[in-house]
Amino acid sequence: SPTFAPTLSAGTACRRISHRRRRRRLSSSFVLRVASARPTSHAYPIMAPTIKLFYFTLPGRGEVTRMLLNYGGLKFTEQNFGFDEWTNEWKAKMDEMAYGQVPVMEVDGKVLAQSGAMERYVAKLAGVYPSDPWEAAKVDEAVGLVMDAQDALYYSASAKMSPDEKAAARKEVVEGSLKTKLAAVIKLLSKAGGHFLTGPNVTYADFVLFKAICGIASGTMDGVPANTMDAYPELKAFHARFAALPAIAKMYEAVEPGPKMAYKQLP
């Protein structure tokens, strides 16, 4: 037998249409609230962990991590040791703990080694490493460019060379390939607006560049004059701008003459 759809009264039909419209409005409102609550590209909603850093007192491969920790206002403790203590005690402990090398971090009792991995992890906690994949890739690109310049100098001398040979090798790089590498860094800085490496805001890449400039200007490498950066006014201006960031200025305000003085001011 044939079936018949029930006939709705005008009042019932109107109430149902009104109900559907209200549901759509509520749904749209919820979507807008969720969208507005999403973190920004540099936000990582991670609870602050318990961090301990193991390294020498010198800047070296641990300084970028130190700066990031201080910049992010992250609480941490540090286990320092001298070279004799490293040889007699800590080398064996690091063989057990990680890969027999430092820096190393303990994060909530878990071990993290390799300076690049440590830096990126802390950069995310400090809010200076983008969560957007493309933005993160551009920060890594800038880091790679700075490392190319730094490594050209650092790896120009070997342990088998005499002091005079090391100085001559470094001098050759300072007068040659380092100029090309730093010119590329300056080009990137200028393209980004001249303030920081990837745009108007500080990112992980800027910490790497600041550390590289300080290393070159530290006066600790034979063949590399402490005033080398005088030839690069754009990078000197960047150094002054970064060194003036409140967290960085506070970190080095009491520094004494030595390898870390360039982190406070260039010669």
Side-chain angles (χ1 to χ4, degrees):
S1 59
T3 57
F4 298 92
T7 301
L8 300 176
S9 68
T12 301
C14 287
R15 282 195 298 273
R16 289 192 176 184
I17 291 170
S18 176
H19 181 64
R20 284 198 297 270
R21 287 175 177 170
R22 183 170 179 271
R23 284 171 59 189
R24 282 198 295 269
R25 286 198 301 271
L26 288 172
S27 177
S28 299
S29 175
F30 174 77
V31 170
L32 288 171
R33 287 198 304 272
V34 170
S36 65
R38 286 174 182 164
T40 61
S41 61
H42 288 216
Y44 282 80
I46 304 172
M47 290 185 66
T50 301
I51 296 174
K52 185 174 184 178
L53 177 66
F54 297 81
Y55 197 55
F56 304 105
T57 54
L58 51 78
R61 293 186 179 274
E63 199 66 13
V64 170
T65 297
R66 287 186 183 117
M67 286 191 288
L68 287 164
L69 287 165
N70 280 276
Y71 183 85
L74 299 164
K75 293 182 180 180
F76 71 102
T77 57
E78 189 166 351
Q79 175 64 62
N80 297 131
F81 33 78
F83 289 107
D84 287 342
E85 292 173 296
W86 168 253
T87 302
N88 298 329
E89 178 185 358
W90 284 98
K91 175 66 168 67
K93 289 183 179 180
M94 289 300 119
D95 282 336
E96 242 178 79
M97 192 173 180
Y99 309 113
Q101 59 192 34
V102 285
V104 165
M105 279 199 319
E106 270 188 350
V107 182
D108 290 337
K110 296 175 289 187
V111 175
L112 182 63
Q114 294 296 320
S115 56
M118 292 163 49
E119 291 165 7
R120 283 173 173 81
Y121 172 73
V122 178
K124 292 173 184 178
L125 296 182
V128 292
Y129 192 87
S131 58
D132 177 81
W134 177 255
E135 292 178 9
K138 295 302 288 183
V139 168
D140 285 339
E141 176 187 70
V143 169
L145 187 64
V146 173
M147 294 301 292
D148 283 348
Q150 179 176 277
D151 291 349
L153 183 60
Y154 287 1
Y155 295 136
S156 60
S158 71
K160 294 180 180 180
M161 292 180 174
S162 68
D164 288 343
E165 288 173 331
K166 289 180 182 179
R170 289 174 181 146
K171 182 180 179 182
E172 183 178 348
V173 171
V174 167
E175 295 175 353
S177 61
L178 185 64
K179 289 184 177 181
T180 303
K181 302 291 186 182
L182 291 181
V185 174
I186 292 169
K187 182 179 179 181
L188 179 62
L189 182 63
S190 176
K191 188 176 179 181
H195 291 284
F196 299 107
L197 269 180
T198 61
N201 299 317
V202 175
T203 69
Y204 162 49
D206 298 299
F207 290 80
V208 176
L209 176 57
F210 182 71
K211 187 259 183 185
I213 293 171
C214 293
I216 293 170
S218 66
T220 59
M221 292 183 284
D222 292 339
V224 183
N227 65 350
T228 295
M229 299 312 300
D230 286 350
Y232 307 96
E234 299 92 343
L235 296 181
K236 286 193 73 172
F238 167 86
H239 178 283
R241 189 159 46 248
F242 192 91
L245 294 172
I248 302 302
K250 183 178 180 181
M251 185 176 173
Y252 297 108
E253 64 183 354
V255 71
E256 298 179 354
K260 285 193 176 183
M261 180 55 73
Y263 288 82
K264 183 175 183 179
Q265 60 186 38
L266 292 180

